[in-house]
Amino acid sequence: MRAIKLLLLLIINALLLNGCDEQQNGLPKAKWTWEDTASSFEDIDITPGTTTDVILEIPDPPYEYAFRVITPKIIDEVNGNPLVLSLHGGVGGAGREAHKSTQCIAPVMEHINAFVISPNADKVYWYELYNQEKIIRILTLAVENWPIDISKLVVTGYSDGGNGAWFYAEAFPNIFSAGIALSSSYNTLTTEGKGRKINTPLYVIHSSGDELFPLDSTQYWVNKSIEAGSDITFVVADGLSHYKPCDYTDYLEGAIQWLAEDVWK
């Protein structure tokens, strides 16, 4: 537990050092510190079976993190619960309520009795430094305050969020035990055109009828990454639309079974 917490804190420090020139303009919020943010996080309601929409005050622009927390019906105080980071799609045009689109994922995550954190991208792509900082900070606070099994942190997402799931699985293999990407389009090639090995196991779901991201492209990138040594399970959904994410529920349940039987065995 201490090793993971230390790793998360080191990652935060590295992100801050690398991104100091990219901070938004604006004055620091008067009298509010990151210690205050951590203290405020402790007040989040995690009553079993509840869904809580959080606006967490922070000292830097944009001065708040918006995210949804879904608490499992049974909390395991001894061994901890899995934690699933769920990334929404359509980040460029997503509004202030985008992180509340959890109706497709919430019932499925009950099968593994997981906490779910669904942050708002704030119209910034998930791979941007701003969102990396935000996600690592939120995960760090969750691990410090809630009964989390740190060997069972998972990142999942749909569309742009699926691309985010790929990214975080690739960039943070020491944090996430698995990634689940739905309807994504993530280029796994190096600058030399070879596939990149991703050290985190991935379960990738893509429809043969996807109108936005062609199946052939995703399948090609998956195959190239597998050739490089990645552990990727690729599942083709039959004829589903990109614009109806809840139609993928049965396939997502297959991913949950994969977690239980293959990744966490």
Side-chain angles (χ1 to χ4, degrees), residues 48-126:
T50 59
T51 296
T52 304
D53 293 318
V54 179
I55 302 295
L56 186 68
E57 196 169 2
I58 63 173
D60 299 331
Y63 302 121
E64 64 182 34
Y65 290 157
F67 55 96
R68 169 168 284 189
V69 176
I70 301 174
T71 306
K73 293 179 180 179
I74 300 173
I75 294 180
D76 188 341
E77 296 286 355
V78 177
N79 300 306
N81 296 71
L83 188 154
V84 176
L85 173 68
S86 177
L87 307 179
H88 66 76
V91 297
R96 293 178 59 85
E97 307 292 308
H99 59 289
K100 299 179 182 179
S101 300
T102 56
Q103 66 273 17
C104 307
I105 189 174
V108 180
M109 294 306 156
E110 290 183 4
H111 299 324
I112 54 172
N113 206 33
F115 284 91
V116 177
I117 294 179
S118 174
N120 194 298
D122 296 319
K123 297 186 178 181
V124 178
Y125 283 108
W126 290 114

Side-chain angles (χ1 to χ4, degrees), residues 129-187:
L129 181 65
Y130 164 74
N131 272 324
Q132 293 184 54
E133 290 179 0
K134 173 171 61 183
I135 284 171
I136 296 302
R137 282 184 173 129
I138 292 172
L139 291 180
T140 300
L141 291 169
V143 167
E144 289 177 342
N145 288 280
W146 305 341
I148 302 297
D149 183 343
I150 57 175
S151 69
K152 295 181 178 179
L153 270 63
V154 178
V155 57
T156 187
Y158 190 89
S159 192
D160 282 342
N163 295 339
W166 275 96
F167 172 80
Y168 285 94
E170 181 174 17
F172 301 102
N174 293 323
I175 294 177
F176 295 104
S177 65
I180 302 171
L182 297 91
S183 301
S184 59
S185 182
Y186 189 79
N187 190 333

